[in-house]
Amino acid sequence: MTNPLKQFCRNLTEPLRSEGKLNIPLVVIFLLINGIVLLNSRLHAPWIGYDANAHISYIKALSAFRLVSPAESQEFFSPPLPYFLPAIFYAITGKLILAAKFAQLLNVVVSILLTWFLLKSCDLLSSKPWLKIGTLAFLGILPVYYRTFAFVRGEPYIALFAVLILYFTILILVRKKFTRSNILLLGLAMGSAALSRQWGILLIPAVMLFGLGQWFVYRRFRKEIVKSVSVALLVSLLCCGWFYCILKVRYGAYTAFSGAAATNFTLSNQPPKFFFGSGIDQLFCNPVDPGFSNQFFPVFYSEVWGDYWGFFVNYGSGTNVTKFVNGYDLHPIYIAGKPLTWMNADYFRGGTYLGRVNLVSLFPTVLVLLAVMVSLFVVSRRKSTGLLRMRRKEVKVFLLLSILATLSGYFWFLIAFPSLENGCTIKATYVLQIMPSVALLVGNFLERIRNRSVIGYRLIMAGLAVVFVHNIFTMLSHYWFLGI
């Protein structure tokens, strides 16, 4: 008779196995990623982050089991799911800073679940370990992942639910496992993503479009596909629809936002530099605010690989460790070039290192572009021989749809709600949900390379290791607070 505890542990570690044994490189990468997330959650000052005080105020209001108002928090338009457990913690303890720290520690659990289900998704596509190793390794070199998971905000939850949506979409629409539990869990994942932050809504059209495509391809499964997608959509609407109806009633729009909306939706809402600015003069020497004022590409690139806005690596502080000055508040100090009498000069030294980070990160960026191009080529071919190749082709279609839907919605937001002064809404954190999909595309590309050239594969993996080592300080918070 099988020992239940032993079987449970084996099931728990199954995604970390290959050929029945724990894969040591995979285990190391898994522990390293989540270990860094844990370290940052313990060290990072919870009141430092994009609109951090507004998110913490949300926790305080929700502890009274009511939605926050605009007078209490500029994040009034954000859905409540990520703040729910910290709000209960605050209601019990009465200590807001502890509740904020609890929210950071919850991000560790979210990261563990995300990476675990990402590996399970890989198992649905390949029995070999190379896809899992490449996917997890690439996710693990993204500084934006660690920075976002150190903050008190909703994007980590969306990233988790994006991976769950991927996993159950593969099970239902690719592997044709139309079970009630799979359909229900897909709907809950979609609804929970939208209830974590508005960006989560952008994942739902990807599922709908992919389901439509599968409906055209698989005639004998049309009834099951329609039923599965329809039920999942209904469940998601029941899960999150109430919140958006409240936004409509209270603020007159389902897309309520604290910033001012443009009168009309037109590309001219943004100046030419937003679309065409390259920031090449500072991109590789000093990529920090205000160097690329409202220029999309250099700001976004520097946010993926560095810390353009100065909330994680670049900072100002004094002898009192709680007296941090974040990037927004450092703008005038930076421009003047004279730190305050109590402030150290770390902010003014950090740009050189971040410039090197941007330069070194060209290598993984090119890898992403090649992975996307190869994936587009693969999905454009009419036929794929073999069931496994067909499944992997279909998953690539879904990954590309998810990325495209998210980026399209994000660009709509940037044009509909322009921030002309400095482009402060250009943040890679806002599209964190695409990073696991990008990592999976890269992992697939690396596996293809290994099947053709083991030496080439090892050289690329060695290059990624060098990037990780060089960029490690962009993955570790410099805003330490050890007072709790």
Side-chain angles (χ1 to χ4, degrees):
M1 185 176 179
T2 305
N3 186 318
L5 179 60
K6 186 177 180 180
Q7 186 61 43
F8 173 77
C9 292
R10 182 172 182 84
N11 292 338
L12 200 62
T13 59
E14 192 61 37
L16 298 171
R17 296 177 179 273
S18 59
E19 298 178 349
K21 297 180 180 179
L22 285 175
N23 186 287
I24 300 304
L26 196 58
V27 172
V28 170
I29 298 171
F30 181 86
L31 293 177
L32 185 60
I33 290 174
N34 292 299
I36 294 175
V37 173
L38 174 61
L39 182 64
N40 285 327
S41 71
R42 178 62 188 92
L43 296 179
H44 187 73
W47 61 87
I48 297 295
Y50 311 136
D51 305 314
N53 290 330
H55 291 282
I56 294 174
S57 296
Y58 202 127
I59 293 173
K60 183 178 180 180
L62 195 61
S63 68
F65 297 98
R66 60 178 177 80
L67 293 175
V68 72
S69 67
E72 294 171 301
S73 172
Q74 65 189 63
E75 289 295 324
F76 66 91
F77 58 88
S78 293
L81 182 60
Y83 313 104
F84 183 70
L85 290 179
I88 293 177
F89 189 91
Y90 174 64
I92 295 172
T93 64
K95 297 184 181 297
L96 192 55
I97 192 67
L98 282 178
K101 180 56 67 175
F102 178 66
Q104 291 176 290
L105 292 172
L106 283 176
N107 284 346
V108 181
V109 179
V110 172
S111 179
I112 292 171
L113 291 173
L114 186 157
T115 48
W116 193 78
F117 272 100
L118 185 59
L119 294 178
K120 281 183 68 68
S121 299
C122 293
D123 278 334
L124 296 177
L125 302 175
S126 176
S127 59
K128 301 294 183 181
W130 316 119
L131 176 61
K132 294 194 286 189
I133 291 174
T135 298
L136 207 58
F138 188 82
L139 184 68
I141 69 168
L142 293 173
V144 65
Y145 183 88
Y146 300 107
R147 183 173 67 250
T148 307
F149 271 80
F151 293 164
V152 178
R153 53 185 307 114
E155 280 82 3
Y157 289 80
I158 304 179
L160 166 61
F161 292 124
V163 173
L164 289 173
I165 290 170
L166 168 66
Y167 178 71
F168 288 109
T169 297
I170 295 174
L171 282 179
I172 298 169
L173 296 178
V174 176
R175 303 196 68 166
K176 309 299 184 293
K177 295 185 177 182
F178 303 103
T179 66
R180 291 181 179 178
S181 59
N182 286 342
I183 297 169
L184 175 63
L185 289 170
L186 173 60
L188 289 174
M190 291 162 58
S192 298
L195 203 56
S196 297
R197 202 147 165 84
Q198 278 86 342
W199 313 117
I201 297 175
L202 302 174
L203 297 167
I204 297 177
V207 177
M208 301 297 106
L209 289 172
F210 184 67
L212 180 62
Q214 295 296 84
W215 184 86
F216 277 108
V217 173
Y218 295 98
R219 293 189 176 184
R220 66 191 182 101
F221 292 115
R222 283 184 171 179
K223 182 179 179 181
E224 291 86 352
I225 291 172
V226 170
K227 180 180 177 181
S228 299
V229 174
S230 299
V231 172
L233 179 61
L234 177 61
V235 171
S236 70
L237 291 176
L238 291 174
C239 183
C240 70
W242 62 271
F243 173 77
Y244 292 93
C245 288
I246 289 176
L247 286 185
K248 175 66 175 177
V249 171
R250 287 186 178 180
Y251 310 112
Y254 297 110
T255 57
F257 183 62
S258 57
T263 305
N264 299 304
F265 183 82
T266 171
L267 294 181
S268 61
N269 290 343
Q270 291 284 7
K273 70 174 183 178
F274 172 85
F275 302 98
F276 305 112
S278 67
I280 195 65
D281 55 331
Q282 296 189 63
L283 189 61
F284 303 119
C285 62
N286 192 37
V288 294
D289 183 48
F292 315 127
S293 179
N294 198 29
Q295 299 176 51
F296 178 79
F297 169 75
V299 174
F300 189 83
Y301 181 87
S302 300
E303 273 285 280
V304 171
W305 299 110
D307 184 34
Y308 177 78
W309 294 110
F311 283 85
F312 202 62
V313 178
N314 265 9
Y315 72 102
S317 69
T319 53
N320 181 349
V321 295
T322 65
K323 202 172 184 180
F324 290 117
V325 182
N326 63 46
Y328 287 147
D329 297 328
L330 279 169
H331 300 174
I333 302 173
Y334 178 86
I335 293 172
K338 296 179 180 180
L340 300 177
T341 56
W342 55 265
M343 194 182 82
N344 65 32
D346 283 1
Y347 184 81
F348 303 93
R349 293 196 299 264
T352 303
Y353 169 66
L354 292 175
R356 294 200 309 271
V357 166
N358 275 359
L359 183 61
V360 169
S361 300
L362 284 174
F363 173 65
T365 301
V366 170
L367 206 59
V368 171
L369 296 176
L370 290 174
V372 171
M373 289 173 61
V374 170
S375 298
L376 287 170
F377 173 75
V378 170
V379 301
S380 66
R381 292 186 299 185
R382 282 194 169 186
K383 293 183 179 180
S384 294
T385 57
L387 180 61
L388 183 58
R389 286 189 177 183
M390 187 63 187
R391 285 176 175 174
R392 296 183 71 146
K393 177 181 176 180
E394 291 170 0
V395 172
K396 289 187 181 73
V397 171
F398 179 69
L399 293 173
L400 292 170
L401 281 174
S402 298
I403 295 170
L404 179 62
T406 296
L407 292 180
S408 298
Y410 181 50
F411 266 100
W412 171 87
F413 166 75
L414 291 175
I415 294 170
F417 297 90
S419 178
L420 300 178
E421 182 179 354
N422 57 9
C424 65
T425 50
I426 305 174
K427 294 184 175 77
T429 286
Y430 290 165
V431 293
L432 184 72
Q433 64 206 50
I434 73 170
M435 299 306 169
S437 296
V438 171
L440 189 51
L441 289 177
V442 173
N444 182 79
F445 179 61
L446 291 173
E447 186 183 41
R448 289 173 66 93
I449 291 176
R450 192 188 185 282
N451 291 338
R452 289 163 175 76
S453 172
V454 175
I455 294 177
Y457 170 80
R458 289 176 177 172
L459 287 174
I460 292 175
M461 293 302 288
L464 292 178
V466 170
V467 171
F468 174 81
V469 171
H470 179 272
N471 294 359
I472 186 65
F473 293 109
T474 63
M475 307 173 197
L476 300 171
S477 172
H478 290 53
Y479 286 85
W480 286 19
F481 174 64
L482 303 177
I484 298 178

